[in-house]
Amino acid sequence: MQSFELNKSDIQRVKQALEADDEALIALLSEYHASEIAILFETLSQEARERIINILPLEIASEVISEMNVEIHPEKILNNLTPDKRTEIVEEMDYDDAADIISLLSEERQDEILEELDAEDASTIRNLLTYDEDTAGGLMNSQVLKVNSGLTKKEALEEIIRLSEEIEEFYTINVVDNYNHLVGIVSLKDILKSKHSVHIRELVKDDFVFVKANTDQEEVAKLLSQYNLTSIPVVDDEMHLLGRITFDDVMDVLQEENTEDMLKISGVSEDEELSGNWKEAVKSRLPWLILNLGTAFLAASVIRHFEPTLGQIPILAGYMAMIAGMGGNAATQALAVTVRRISLNDLTDSQAYSTVLKEFMVGMINGAVNGFIVFLFALLYDANPMLGFVIFSAMTGNLIIAGVAGSSIPLVLKRIGIDPAIASSIIITTFTDVFGFLLLLGLASELLL
Amino acid sequence: MQSFELNKSDIQRVKQALEADDEALIALLSEYHASEIAILFETLSQEARERIINILPLEIASEVISEMNVEIHPEKILNNLTPDKRTEIVEEMDYDDAADIISLLSEERQDEILEELDAEDASTIRNLLTYDEDTAGGLMNSQVLKVNSGLTKKEALEEIIRLSEEIEEFYTINVVDNYNHLVGIVSLKDILKSKHSVHIRELVKDDFVFVKANTDQEEVAKLLSQYNLTSIPVVDDEMHLLGRITFDDVMDVLQEENTEDMLKISGVSEDEELSGNWKEAVKSRLPWLILNLGTAFLAASVIRHFEPTLGQIPILAGYMAMIAGMGGNAATQALAVTVRRISLNDLTDSQAYSTVLKEFMVGMINGAVNGFIVFLFALLYDANPMLGFVIFSAMTGNLIIAGVAGSSIPLVLKRIGIDPAIASSIIITTFTDVFGFLLLLGLASELLL
């Protein structure tokens, strides 16, 4: 099977089937996995989505809504269903998915929908809604496979098989005492391999990884990935078992955090939706551009200061643009490498120090090579070796500043507890613009006039 | 348990223990998980690493080597072990990890090490070495949990428990026929839930996801994440079962691919190691900077062309830098959003079209707002409304070009089969530099002289 990619023929077929009756539509959709239908939804109208959800089997319908990209608003579909249908679909959903989608509605609407559910489901979802969505509590599913440590192998297996009707996946089994305190974990493998007479408490692994409900989701993702876990239990401050987070939730978190880093480093607000409309995009990017404009005035004021020099040596204007542009790009390179490195691993002080030193060296060499090329050009084209020397020096100096600023700013931010990706290319290019102009025009004033 | 972060006291303690005898060192290290020791290794000398590997229990030692960051060269440790120790450690490793590390050595050395192993292990690893490391074959583990479809429930459970001695994790069980053709999958849950008399072939799910050995690893990651799988079977062209890829391998692939995207978009070669030395960094970045220098000459030639205009209106030089800088940053914003969107989802033609249209709108509005601020400045500070109008127009025009180029170039690249992230900020800022200068200086020549 190939990974599902939207192609024209799929969309064409579904759109044709939408013209036909429900039976033909269902027959066609039965060829697709729920997650594929969720992707197809991105190209369909809201009306078509609602019609499909209404005729799909309950189990598939609830999975499609759970898998829908939040950018195409799964909560709208839920909102527009009849109360009975909605209750049926929400009851089919995993609690964490239900809570995620319901949380997108207004508080009054949330209450109305929760009141339609049975009391236990409603209170579980209400509980999940209290956690911040970026924490372990917001990510966890409260349906968790757990057995009491006092059970025998036979009793535990029966309990596991019974629970597995409700819980889709069961990788690791959590072991609790009579007060629902998490005492350890046990693998199904170890239960199966053990003798018949054994009690679960004899099999328990008490050296295991868990998280508190308020742990940041990025931290959860790091733990799961570092220890190669399929799931991780979530507890409260008294070690009561609250839920578990599975690897598939964490893969989504990883992609989300990577998106945030990539956007932030490019001067885009982390919460801009990739497929959002132009109004959202303007709201997300305009503040950064205005900040950039402020710093651009600074760079322009350097140029104004040296206006007499520029007036006497007008060819400097072209070289000026060249040195600023090169500095900006070299700084972006150093920034991307450093931010990515910090987000994958924490650096010790000595690693941080040697990173900045490395970028100094890289800036010096890349600056000298590029500076030499421009020097040759100035020599041959403008027949002015001293001008060449000024440009060579400014290029080298600016690329050193680019490397040092591009690496040290995110490192310092991380040290003082600020997200290093905020050191976007916008902030960094200010340095290289201002210093590039200062170096070139300052040296030119000294040496060429 | 908190995620393991290198901190000074851990490093200090290990370094002190390195001064002491082996016994004290082992006692200290027994507090750490193998993946934590692998991280600690990043701050230790090669000599210390080899000493620790030699005294750790075999199982831990092989896991530490498997978990080591390739940037600190696990293959060097393997290379320097005594042949007996090396054989023991390699035999403890998963085949895929052993193949990954051995592949880093020279071919002659690979042969020497493989000859030390027993014939079956050697031939399995040799087979894995033939696959490209970026494909499913290069990623898979050939130790795979499989049962014959003809077994009864009881026989299958016995077989699974027997195999589970060798195979660390078993999530999904592959079902094969007598010729090792993959016929489907079955979950342990379904086996446990079934009646005693059942045969595996009655439980098999034949609608399942698998990949060919030559499938690209990014594709494998997408499949696992889209269908929320813990593992995916790998087959050859005749559907023979070759191995399986588990979710933890895929998490590493996701991080790797995200790193590549982030580096490429910033004009850094995708294979620059984040913690590499300055020589590698120069090699990776200098070609991109020289390419940028080439395009900077183009931008500079536009300025030279308008030298007379600049000579008459020298204050244009400052505004010039401003418009080019703003254009570069706006283009980087559009680029980051578009590249990230493409890498998470494929876009239909109409989605691509509306993306470019959106960026046109965003560019126009952000350009007009920032242009208006500069217009006010020109009016108040330079007392020149026509100059303000020229700057307003150039800013708006350049930000429109930034948005359109930043979104359409990666989309076109994707369409013609080239990695869209190659449309780095370096390529994009050329557009905004050249057009920014052309617009500002061209308009100024027409309207201000």
Side-chain angles (χ1 to χ4, degrees):
Chain A
M1 194 187 281
Q2 292 297 303
S3 155
F4 185 67
E5 304 203 349
L6 266 183
N7 69 48
K8 278 187 203 153
S9 78
D10 287 310
I11 301 171
Q12 217 49 48
R13 286 173 67 204
V14 172
K15 289 198 171 159
Q16 268 165 14
L18 279 167
E19 311 281 312
D21 60 7
D22 286 356
E23 213 164 306
L25 183 56
I26 280 289
L28 175 70
L29 289 171
S30 70
E31 290 174 30
Y32 295 96
H33 187 277
S35 68
E36 294 165 347
I37 300 177
I39 294 175
L40 275 168
F41 268 24
E42 295 180 16
T43 59
L44 300 181
S45 69
Q46 181 66 16
E47 199 193 338
R49 292 174 197 155
E50 289 177 10
R51 174 168 162 220
I52 289 175
I53 287 297
N54 270 306
I55 61 173
L56 279 175
L58 270 186
E59 197 188 322
I60 309 290
S62 78
E63 213 180 321
V64 171
I65 297 182
S66 302
E67 293 281 331
M68 275 172 69
N69 192 328
V70 286
E71 299 184 358
I72 58 168
H73 303 291
E75 79 281 8
K76 273 194 197 161
I77 294 186
L78 212 58
N79 199 35
N80 295 346
L81 290 170
T82 62
D84 283 357
K85 185 86 183 175
R86 177 165 51 231
T87 303
E88 285 174 338
I89 284 186
V90 172
E91 278 173 359
E92 269 294 323
M93 282 185 181
D94 287 343
Y95 286 128
D96 57 336
D97 294 330
D100 285 348
I101 293 170
I102 291 174
S103 72
L104 301 170
L105 295 165
S106 72
E107 278 193 32
E108 301 87 58
R109 198 74 188 103
Q110 289 179 16
D111 284 337
E112 283 167 34
I113 291 178
L114 289 172
E115 272 161 30
E116 296 159 7
L117 300 177
D118 81 47
E120 201 194 318
D121 286 350
S123 98
T124 308
I125 294 174
R126 232 180 258 284
N127 250 325
L128 288 176
L129 287 173
T130 61
Y131 297 107
D132 187 338
E133 60 164 341
D134 292 339
T135 65
L139 208 58
M140 74 183 178
N141 190 339
S142 49
Q143 277 171 312
V144 44
L145 195 65
K146 60 182 177 185
V147 298
N148 191 292
S149 62
L151 299 186
T152 62
K153 171 181 173 174
K154 185 159 174 287
E155 291 165 334
L157 272 179
E158 281 166 6
E159 175 75 359
I160 289 164
I161 291 171
R162 196 184 61 75
L163 286 170
S164 73
E165 295 293 338
E166 278 177 35
I167 298 174
E168 260 304 292
E169 297 145 316
F170 60 130
Y171 314 114
T172 306
I173 296 148
N174 297 291
V175 182
V176 293
D177 66 14
N178 293 332
Y179 306 99
N180 195 34
H181 291 120
L182 181 64
V183 296
I185 55 166
V186 60
S187 73
L188 186 55
K189 178 167 91 172
D190 287 336
I191 298 182
L192 287 174
K193 278 162 62 180
S194 64
K195 297 217 183 74
H196 274 286
S197 57
V198 84
H199 278 77
I200 294 301
R201 74 168 68 85
E202 299 165 59
L203 300 175
V204 148
K205 235 184 88 188
D206 59 1
D207 166 28
F208 63 103
V209 183
F210 61 88
V211 291
K212 298 273 179 68
N214 59 3
T215 306
D216 185 81
Q217 61 173 4
E218 201 169 352
E219 182 70 19
V220 177
K222 267 194 187 171
L223 273 171
L224 241 116
S225 157
Q226 188 180 328
Y227 294 98
N228 295 342
L229 307 171
T230 41
S231 74
I232 197 166
V234 183
V235 297
D236 67 12
D237 287 334
E238 285 90 38
M239 279 301 283
H240 291 110
L241 181 60
L242 299 176
R244 62 158 189 171
I245 295 166
T246 48
F247 73 98
D248 49 315
D249 300 317
V250 161
M251 280 206 210
D252 296 340
V253 170
L254 279 182
Q255 292 292 40
E256 204 182 291
E257 297 281 344
N258 283 318
T259 299
E260 282 183 18
D261 273 4
M262 192 142 167
L263 293 188
K264 263 190 263 173
I265 201 185
S266 306
V268 178
S269 297
E270 56 183 312
D271 35 56
E272 175 172 335
E273 288 178 3
L274 295 178
S275 64
N277 63 26
W278 61 268
K279 280 180 227 155
E280 290 167 24
V282 167
K283 225 172 84 183
S284 138
R285 302 184 206 167
L286 186 54
W288 288 104
L289 288 176
I290 290 180
L291 174 68
N292 183 39
L293 188 64
T295 67
F297 273 111
L298 193 67
S301 75
V302 173
I303 297 176
R304 286 202 179 221
H305 176 79
F306 287 104
E307 226 167 72
T309 311
L310 266 174
Q312 286 181 261
I313 321 170
I315 49 170
L316 278 176
Y319 290 114
M320 213 175 73
M322 213 178 244
I323 282 165
M326 291 290 286
N329 281 315
T332 302
Q333 291 178 329
L335 180 70
V337 171
T338 308
V339 167
R340 186 66 186 158
R341 190 164 174 217
I342 296 174
S343 88
L344 290 178
N345 270 305
D346 294 300
L347 301 189
T348 59
D349 284 347
S350 76
Q351 285 174 316
Y353 176 76
S354 67
T355 298
V356 178
L357 203 68
K358 163 184 137 184
E359 294 297 342
F360 181 94
M361 286 292 293
V362 173
M364 191 167 69
I365 294 169
N366 284 344
V369 171
N370 285 289
F372 186 70
I373 295 173
V374 189
F375 167 82
L376 285 181
F377 181 84
L379 201 65
L380 298 173
Y381 193 82
D382 292 322
N384 188 338
M386 192 50 119
L387 171 69
F389 175 75
V390 166
I391 295 163
F392 172 85
S393 310
M395 180 78 86
T396 309
N398 201 27
L399 262 60
I400 290 174
I401 288 162
V404 171
S407 56
S408 62
I409 294 178
L411 283 165
V412 168
L413 288 175
K414 170 78 184 177
R415 227 22 73 111
I416 59 178
I418 298 176
D419 183 345
I422 209 92
S424 66
S425 42
I426 285 182
I427 312 270
I428 297 288
T429 50
T430 306
F431 271 81
T432 51
D433 276 1
V434 171
F435 282 97
F437 298 147
L438 262 180
L439 278 171
L440 179 70
L441 300 175
L443 283 172
S445 305
E446 289 296 318
L447 300 175
L448 298 177
L449 293 187
Chain B
M1 189 186 282
Q2 291 298 302
S3 154
F4 185 68
E5 303 202 351
L6 265 184
N7 70 45
K8 278 189 201 149
S9 79
D10 287 309
I11 302 172
Q12 218 49 50
R13 286 171 68 205
V14 172
K15 288 198 171 159
Q16 269 165 17
L18 278 167
E19 312 279 310
D21 58 9
D22 287 354
E23 216 162 307
L25 184 55
I26 278 290
L28 175 69
L29 290 172
S30 70
E31 291 173 29
Y32 294 96
H33 187 278
S35 69
E36 294 166 348
I37 300 178
I39 295 176
L40 275 168
F41 268 24
E42 293 178 18
T43 58
L44 300 180
S45 68
Q46 182 65 16
E47 200 190 337
R49 292 174 196 157
E50 290 177 9
R51 175 169 161 219
I52 289 173
I53 288 295
N54 269 306
I55 62 175
L56 279 174
L58 271 187
E59 198 187 321
I60 310 289
S62 77
E63 212 179 322
V64 170
I65 296 181
S66 302
E67 293 280 332
M68 276 172 69
N69 190 329
V70 287
E71 298 183 0
I72 59 167
H73 302 292
E75 77 281 8
K76 272 194 195 160
I77 295 186
L78 211 59
N79 198 35
N80 295 346
L81 291 170
T82 62
D84 283 357
K85 187 86 182 174
R86 177 164 52 229
T87 303
E88 287 174 335
I89 285 186
V90 172
E91 279 172 356
E92 271 293 326
M93 282 184 183
D94 286 342
Y95 286 127
D96 57 335
D97 293 331
D100 285 348
I101 294 169
I102 290 174
S103 73
L104 301 170
L105 295 165
S106 71
E107 279 194 31
E108 301 86 58
R109 198 75 187 105
Q110 290 181 14
D111 284 337
E112 283 167 34
I113 291 177
L114 290 172
E115 271 161 29
E116 295 160 6
L117 301 177
D118 82 46
E120 202 194 318
D121 287 350
S123 97
T124 307
I125 294 174
R126 230 180 261 283
N127 252 325
L128 289 175
L129 287 172
T130 61
Y131 296 107
D132 188 340
E133 61 164 341
D134 292 340
T135 65
L139 208 60
M140 74 183 178
N141 191 339
S142 49
Q143 277 171 312
V144 46
L145 195 65
K146 61 180 175 188
V147 297
N148 191 293
S149 61
L151 298 186
T152 62
K153 169 178 176 175
K154 184 161 176 284
E155 289 166 337
L157 272 179
E158 281 168 6
E159 175 73 1
I160 290 165
I161 292 171
R162 196 183 61 75
L163 286 170
S164 73
E165 296 292 338
E166 276 176 34
I167 298 176
E168 261 305 294
E169 297 144 317
F170 60 130
Y171 314 113
T172 306
I173 296 147
N174 297 291
V175 182
V176 293
D177 66 13
N178 293 333
Y179 306 100
N180 196 35
H181 293 119
L182 182 63
V183 296
I185 56 166
V186 59
S187 72
L188 187 54
K189 179 168 89 173
D190 289 335
I191 297 182
L192 287 174
K193 278 163 62 181
S194 63
K195 297 215 181 77
H196 274 286
S197 57
V198 85
H199 278 77
I200 294 302
R201 74 168 69 86
E202 300 165 58
L203 301 174
V204 149
K205 234 184 88 188
D206 59 0
D207 167 28
F208 63 103
V209 183
F210 60 87
V211 290
K212 296 276 176 70
N214 57 4
T215 306
D216 186 82
Q217 62 174 2
E218 205 170 348
E219 182 70 19
V220 177
K222 269 194 185 168
L223 273 170
L224 242 118
S225 157
Q226 186 181 329
Y227 295 96
N228 294 343
L229 306 171
T230 42
S231 73
I232 196 165
V234 183
V235 296
D236 67 13
D237 287 332
E238 284 90 39
M239 281 299 284
H240 291 110
L241 180 61
L242 298 176
R244 59 156 193 173
I245 297 166
T246 47
F247 73 97
D248 49 315
D249 300 318
V250 162
M251 281 206 211
D252 296 339
V253 170
L254 279 182
Q255 292 292 39
E256 205 180 288
E257 298 281 343
N258 283 319
T259 301
E260 284 183 15
D261 274 4
M262 190 142 169
L263 294 188
K264 264 189 265 175
I265 202 184
S266 308
V268 178
S269 298
E270 57 182 312
D271 35 58
E272 176 171 333
E273 288 178 4
L274 295 177
S275 66
N277 63 26
W278 61 268
K279 281 179 225 154
E280 289 166 25
V282 167
K283 225 172 83 185
S284 138
R285 302 184 208 167
L286 186 52
W288 287 102
L289 288 175
I290 290 180
L291 174 68
N292 183 38
L293 188 63
T295 67
F297 272 111
L298 192 66
S301 75
V302 172
I303 298 176
R304 285 202 179 219
H305 176 77
F306 289 102
E307 227 169 73
T309 310
L310 266 173
Q312 288 179 261
I313 318 168
I315 49 168
L316 278 176
Y319 291 114
M320 212 174 73
M322 213 177 246
I323 282 165
M326 291 291 285
N329 282 316
T332 302
Q333 291 178 329
L335 181 69
V337 171
T338 309
V339 166
R340 186 66 186 158
R341 190 162 174 219
I342 297 175
S343 88
L344 291 177
N345 271 306
D346 294 302
L347 301 189
T348 58
D349 285 347
S350 76
Q351 285 174 317
Y353 176 76
S354 67
T355 300
V356 177
L357 203 67
K358 164 184 139 185
E359 293 298 343
F360 179 95
M361 287 291 294
V362 174
M364 191 167 68
I365 294 168
N366 284 345
V369 172
N370 284 289
F372 185 70
I373 297 174
V374 189
F375 167 81
L376 285 181
F377 182 84
L379 200 66
L380 298 172
Y381 193 81
D382 293 322
N384 187 339
M386 192 50 120
L387 172 68
F389 174 73
V390 165
I391 295 164
F392 171 84
S393 309
M395 180 78 85
T396 309
N398 202 25
L399 262 61
I400 290 174
I401 288 163
V404 172
S407 57
S408 60
I409 293 180
L411 284 166
V412 169
L413 288 176
K414 170 78 183 176
R415 227 23 74 110
I416 58 176
I418 297 175
D419 183 345
I422 209 91
S424 66
S425 43
I426 285 182
I427 313 270
I428 298 287
T429 50
T430 306
F431 272 79
T432 51
D433 276 1
V434 171
F435 282 97
F437 297 147
L438 263 179
L439 279 169
L440 179 70
L441 300 176
L443 284 171
S445 305
E446 289 296 318
L447 302 174
L448 300 177
L449 292 187

